[in-house]
Amino acid sequence: MSWFTFPVDNLLCRCLSISITCLQYWLTLLFVFIIVPTVLGVSFGVCGLYMRTLLKIFEVSGILSSKKNIRPTRLISTQRAYLGRNIELWATSRIEKEAKEKNQQLYKPYSNGIIAKAQPSSLQQELLEVRGSAGGLPSEPEFEMVDIFFFCRRGVESILDDEVTKRFSAQELETWNLLTRSNYNFHHFSMRLTVLWGLGILIRYGVLLPVRVTLAATGISLLLVFTALVGLLPNKKLRFYLCEKVHLMCYRICVRALTAIITYHNRENKPKTGGICVSNHTTPIDVIILANDGRYSMVGQVHGGLMGMIQQAMTKSSPHIWFERSEVKDRHLVAKRLSDHVADKTKQPILIFPEGTCINNTSVMMFKKGIFEIACTVYPVAIKYDPRFGDAFWNSSKFGLVCYLLRMMSSWAIVCSVWYLPPMNREEGEDAVQFANRVKAAIAAQGGLVDLIWDGGLKRAKVKDAFKEEQQKLYSKVLVGEQEVGDERDNTHSEDTNQEEDERIQLPQMDNEDTVNV
Amino acid sequence: MGALQSVPGHPEYVDLAEKTGFSFEQIGILHKRFKQLSHNEDTLLREHFSKIPNLECNPIRSQIIGAFFDRRNFRQDGEGTVEEIGFEEFLVIMSHFRPPTLHMTEEQRESVRRDKLRFLFNMHDTDNDGTITLEEYRHVVEELLSLSEAMEKDTAKSIADAAMLEVASISMGHMEPDEFYEGITFEHFLKLLNGFEIESRMNVRFLNMDTTTLCK
């Protein structure tokens, strides 16, 4: 029977050799056209062209998705509606163009809000408004049966729309960007749109994804191999110098692997040694984006497996701060190690994300005060992603890390802007929490994000009972008559390890906290 | 229906719109909110509500959440509570908070009024016996007030007692010394809040997304 298997064997061998040669050509092309220019820092301007083409395609898809099955009998009204929609699109793009010319970032608030934003008013004013129609003297601080309406209404309004829960899911888009995953509102499918979408799928999964995965794998293996080699060198200075170069190369390749198109602003404010760099947190990719443009010391837990190897490779060139799992709980140990690192002026700035968790890049949530207690200069950095090209937010309750990275690599691109803000120091008489909020406000203002006081930890934890008691206290004060308009205290901070409450004078109530109104 | 409404794919919106009076766009947005709260499940449970920080701070949150799971509010003459609700029930409860529309007759206004007051009555009357007893009322007042600082423990009790006395005097007139006031019935409740324009006070300020003007 050997004569039967022989041609099959032959065929298999031939297939194998053909695929190996294909692979070789593929890798060579990749190497020559992508990896080498990346390492050398040369850019062909392809990315800019790619972005502009994509934007034009999204515009077309926006127009296509707003066109509906136009029935001939209702032509006039639907024409008017269609015209209206087009004018809206045109107007939006005009606004965007102008903003772009002025180098501003526009944050579009949710256009699908449910509740009309009313003027922020105090508890007392609202109660008076509710009571007012029930008769009786409004100035009498009595308990009225109708007061319950106020709390009822507030409760239902917060069920309908609250500032916090919507920060933990991906941002919604104005027009569809041809990714199924961002298809929340768009159900108007026409033939042309479906074709466009199908083409998009082919390009993204057939062309872009393999290239990117290969690049990422190459980048990481090069990092591990070269740092191992460089580690064998005897001369310490040379070792550090070469290690830095190797890291830079690896970050650049990873950036290409994600097709991250980054614009750095105000580079004169880049973090210097002996300081701490803080930034808003959307995704683990933030680290790569920042490290691409400067050298930082990372802070984090020691992992096993591939991550552990990468961590060890990174430590060879610069002093990163890795904590064992048991050490993380000890706040004093953590604070001491960070202070020691910062005090040593030869070491690179620490990179840290005070929010403690990933937020969806529409807002900045409470900064944990621990890092702001260390006496040193803080360099704030604001990172804003453009959601049209791919949603960078990592919803850790929905996907694991590997799944997330695959989604990133099959999006169109990751386009973001990084602003380096001027360094800030803690002022006289300012405590850590106030300092943290000042830094947070600066980052929110620059990135066009909403500045919230709520704790990002609410993603997983429940609200503490202290808050409910606060509302009760407020109401009691109104009844007893101690309350004066404009003098309300709202406790809205929460700490996970420390139970201290922060008394701050706050005018609006908890559901009207937007300080950046766009 | 015009070109801007996203009805295809959701024919059930037509029924819901008729039942609750919301527009298609509002139903669409509420549906998205429902899915967000329920994490893309088909039903909402009580613990989904506890994820909303603003609601957690509300003193009467358990009453509000309870109202969502109370079958008396589903407009189907049911009784008792359920453990989970679907989108239709969610919408029906929300419709209690719709403001009255501009063109409403007196009768319609009156029925809207009764509807909203019934909702509030159910919130107080937890054992569904048709009356709000002193205990039940006291419970609500205690929830609203703080047990520290400005108020003493008995203040809540005395406030509740005073309020009940007031209700009794309004609805029953003069009472004999040994007559016992059982509780506020729904009719008394209505009488008590007679001058109160609840139909314009107890509603959520929904964004007016009326697209019908564009498409007529």
Side-chain angles (χ1 to χ4, degrees):
Chain A
M1 292 290 205
S2 54
W3 61 268
F4 180 68
T5 54
F6 188 62
V8 177
D9 244 355
N10 209 4
L11 194 62
L12 273 172
C13 279
R14 295 226 342 236
C15 282
L16 209 58
S17 61
I18 291 176
S19 42
I20 289 183
T21 13
C22 277
L23 200 63
Q24 279 177 340
Y25 277 131
W26 161 256
L27 283 175
T28 327
L29 272 175
L30 216 64
F31 193 70
V32 168
F33 283 113
I34 301 186
I35 296 187
V36 170
T38 310
V39 170
L40 297 175
V42 171
S43 156
F44 293 130
V46 174
C47 285
L49 183 65
Y50 177 59
M51 256 177 73
R52 284 191 290 275
T53 324
L54 274 178
L55 280 173
K56 284 223 173 57
I57 296 179
F58 295 158
E59 264 180 46
V60 168
S61 92
I63 295 175
L64 280 179
S65 64
S66 65
K67 252 195 220 175
K68 264 299 296 172
N69 301 322
I70 300 176
R71 278 187 268 160
T73 50
R74 312 272 305 277
L75 206 56
I76 299 173
S77 55
T78 47
Q79 261 182 355
R80 267 203 323 191
Y82 173 53
L83 189 64
R85 181 90 183 116
N86 263 359
I87 291 178
E88 194 193 307
L89 277 175
W90 170 81
T92 326
S93 64
R94 274 299 302 248
I95 296 175
E96 283 175 7
K97 266 196 205 128
E98 275 173 17
K100 221 172 262 176
E101 276 156 26
K102 293 187 202 155
N103 247 346
Q104 286 166 357
Q105 270 280 6
L106 259 189
Y107 166 56
K108 286 189 271 260
Y110 284 111
S111 56
N112 295 324
I114 303 177
I115 304 177
K117 285 279 183 206
Q119 287 303 317
S121 53
S122 68
L123 181 70
Q124 189 178 33
Q125 283 169 350
E126 292 230 16
L127 275 177
L128 286 180
E129 187 209 318
V130 169
R131 278 183 191 175
S133 61
L137 289 170
S139 56
E140 270 176 29
E142 269 179 19
F143 173 77
E144 290 265 0
M145 204 169 196
V146 300
D147 289 343
I148 198 174
F149 294 168
F150 165 71
F151 287 106
C152 199
R153 181 172 85 180
R154 269 252 291 237
V156 173
E157 279 185 350
S158 54
I159 292 179
L160 282 179
D161 193 9
D162 78 305
E163 280 300 325
V164 178
T165 49
K166 66 188 183 197
R167 307 295 172 194
F168 300 138
S169 56
Q171 186 182 359
E172 295 182 8
L173 296 170
E174 294 291 323
T175 55
W176 192 34
N177 63 353
L178 298 174
L179 294 174
T180 326
R181 58 190 77 137
S182 22
N183 188 3
Y184 300 109
N185 321 330
F186 310 108
H187 304 289
H188 313 165
F189 281 128
S190 63
M191 200 55 207
R192 274 179 276 186
L193 197 61
T194 320
V195 165
L196 209 55
W197 171 73
L199 263 178
I201 293 244
L202 271 175
I203 297 179
R204 282 187 295 119
Y205 283 92
V207 176
L208 294 177
L209 184 62
V211 171
R212 288 171 179 166
V213 170
T214 326
L215 279 176
T218 319
I220 295 184
S221 30
L222 279 180
L223 172 77
L224 293 173
V225 165
F226 277 126
T227 40
L229 285 177
V230 166
L232 298 170
L233 286 177
N235 187 349
K236 197 174 179 188
K237 260 195 173 165
L238 187 63
R239 226 178 27 211
F240 267 31
Y241 175 71
L242 278 179
C243 255
E244 271 181 27
K245 293 294 171 213
V246 167
H247 274 98
L248 195 59
M249 174 194 75
C250 173
Y251 285 129
R252 282 195 181 146
I253 297 181
C254 281
V255 162
R256 274 285 178 272
L258 294 164
T259 317
I261 303 170
I262 313 171
T263 321
Y264 296 101
H265 302 268
N266 306 335
R267 288 171 103 155
E268 65 272 11
N269 292 328
K270 251 167 72 166
K272 302 187 178 42
T273 56
I276 300 183
C277 174
V278 303
S279 159
N280 56 317
H281 199 33
T282 309
T283 150
I285 296 177
D286 287 341
V287 170
I288 301 179
I289 289 181
L290 286 178
N292 187 36
D293 193 42
R295 283 168 282 287
Y296 300 96
S297 294
M298 315 288 174
V299 179
Q301 258 188 33
V302 172
H303 290 280
L306 182 63
M307 272 304 295
M309 283 168 64
I310 297 180
Q311 281 179 334
Q312 279 177 2
M314 287 167 78
T315 319
K316 284 202 177 101
S317 83
S318 43
H320 296 281
I321 306 177
W322 306 121
F323 290 104
E324 298 289 335
R325 205 167 281 269
S326 52
E327 291 172 340
V328 172
K329 292 293 175 194
D330 187 349
R331 291 179 83 224
H332 294 293
L333 178 66
V334 169
K336 182 158 187 328
R337 274 182 76 174
L338 292 174
S339 318
D340 289 343
H341 184 105
V342 160
D344 186 351
K345 293 293 175 195
T346 59
K347 293 194 176 160
Q348 302 148 354
I350 299 180
L351 175 61
I352 208 160
F353 299 102
E355 278 167 319
T357 183
C358 293
I359 313 290
N360 76 347
N361 208 234
T362 56
S363 68
V364 183
M365 293 189 127
M366 187 183 93
F367 276 5
K368 305 229 186 304
K369 67 173 190 191
I371 196 71
F372 295 95
E373 280 167 343
I374 301 174
C376 65
T377 320
V378 167
Y379 296 90
V381 176
I383 307 180
K384 179 84 181 108
Y385 290 88
D386 190 337
R388 289 174 299 181
F389 295 93
D391 182 32
F393 168 56
W394 181 30
N395 194 344
S396 51
S397 49
K398 252 183 153 180
F399 334 103
L401 188 58
V402 176
C403 193
Y404 167 73
L405 285 174
L406 281 176
R407 279 167 70 98
M408 281 301 99
M409 291 194 190
S410 59
S411 312
W412 294 113
I414 295 177
V415 178
C416 63
S417 289
V418 176
W419 285 272
Y420 293 108
L421 297 168
M424 289 173 136
N425 280 298
R426 202 160 94 181
E427 284 167 12
E428 283 296 320
E430 203 180 30
D431 70 355
V433 177
Q434 289 164 334
F435 182 39
N437 285 327
R438 197 159 58 92
V439 172
K440 177 159 69 81
I443 293 182
Q446 178 65 68
L449 305 165
V450 174
D451 185 4
L452 291 181
I453 301 245
W454 290 102
D455 183 4
L458 288 172
K459 200 186 199 178
R460 295 191 184 86
K462 284 184 65 169
V463 178
K464 299 203 168 23
D465 279 335
F467 294 140
K468 173 177 163 182
E469 282 161 22
E470 250 328 286
Q471 277 292 291
Q472 289 174 324
K473 271 191 211 162
L474 267 177
Y475 181 58
S476 313
K477 280 188 186 155
V478 172
L479 285 193
V480 173
E482 278 173 17
Q483 202 69 5
E484 272 146 29
V485 179
D487 177 32
E488 292 192 325
R489 291 168 167 271
D490 249 7
N491 281 6
T492 51
H493 270 284
S494 89
E495 287 278 314
D496 25 353
T497 46
N498 249 357
Q499 289 291 322
E500 62 195 277
E501 286 169 349
D502 184 43
E503 302 257 339
R504 306 186 80 230
I505 303 209
Q506 197 104 23
L507 252 189
Q509 282 151 331
M510 289 188 229
D511 51 356
N512 279 324
E513 270 165 17
D514 303 1
T515 54
V516 178
N517 274 331
V518 183
Chain B
M1 292 196 241
L4 289 182
Q5 310 220 11
S6 52
V7 172
H10 296 282
E12 66 266 22
Y13 281 11
V14 181
D15 288 329
L16 288 172
E18 268 172 56
K19 215 172 169 181
T20 57
F22 285 119
S23 72
F24 293 125
E25 204 160 335
Q26 285 171 326
I27 295 182
I29 293 177
L30 286 169
H31 201 172
K32 269 204 316 239
R33 178 64 178 172
F34 180 84
K35 282 206 163 344
Q36 195 181 61
L37 288 175
S38 68
H39 301 294
N40 279 328
E41 305 271 314
D42 285 326
T43 53
L44 265 183
L45 303 169
R46 284 168 207 262
E47 60 225 24
H48 290 136
F49 285 101
S50 54
K51 293 259 165 61
I52 306 173
N54 267 347
L55 187 62
E56 287 294 290
C57 300
N58 198 310
I60 50 168
R61 70 169 183 269
S62 39
Q63 272 85 354
I64 296 176
I65 296 178
F68 274 83
F69 292 89
D70 187 345
R71 291 174 71 180
R72 290 175 290 176
N73 294 329
F74 293 165
R75 297 216 179 108
Q76 287 164 357
D77 299 324
E79 276 182 15
T81 59
V82 289
E83 287 311 309
E84 54 182 27
I85 52 171
F87 180 54
E88 187 176 331
E89 285 93 18
F90 182 74
L91 262 190
V92 170
I93 306 258
M94 283 301 166
S95 67
H96 286 284
F97 288 86
R98 278 191 65 241
T101 55
L102 294 167
H103 315 290
M104 259 192 165
T105 64
E106 261 313 302
E107 279 173 29
Q108 284 171 329
R109 260 190 192 266
E110 186 54 34
S111 92
V112 163
R113 220 181 114 72
R114 278 186 81 101
D115 193 45
K116 291 188 198 268
L117 283 171
R118 186 84 224 182
F119 185 84
L120 276 175
F121 186 82
N122 289 341
M123 217 192 265
H124 285 85
D125 181 21
T126 42
D127 59 1
N128 194 23
D129 60 355
T131 53
I132 303 177
T133 60
L134 184 62
E135 279 308 312
E136 288 167 341
Y137 196 67
R138 205 181 278 164
H139 180 65
V140 175
V141 174
E142 272 168 11
E143 293 277 305
L144 281 178
L145 299 177
S146 168
L147 295 172
S148 62
E149 273 200 39
M151 297 273 163
E152 295 165 0
K153 279 214 176 79
D154 290 335
T155 316
K157 189 159 167 294
S158 53
I159 287 182
D161 291 343
M164 285 297 269
L165 264 176
E166 190 189 327
V167 173
S169 62
I170 289 179
S171 28
M172 299 268 282
H174 178 66
M175 281 196 333
E176 297 302 317
D178 52 351
E179 214 178 324
F180 180 61
Y181 184 58
E182 278 164 19
I184 312 176
T185 60
F186 186 53
E187 297 308 321
H188 290 170
F189 196 67
L190 281 179
K191 213 158 134 195
L192 196 67
L193 295 169
N194 205 9
F196 188 64
E197 275 178 31
I198 190 176
E199 58 272 16
S200 50
R201 297 291 167 195
M202 190 177 122
N203 52 53
V204 169
R205 298 160 282 203
F206 282 107
L207 263 183
N208 200 1
M209 288 163 290
D210 197 11
T211 55
T212 51
T213 48
L214 252 186
C215 301
K216 282 270 153 43

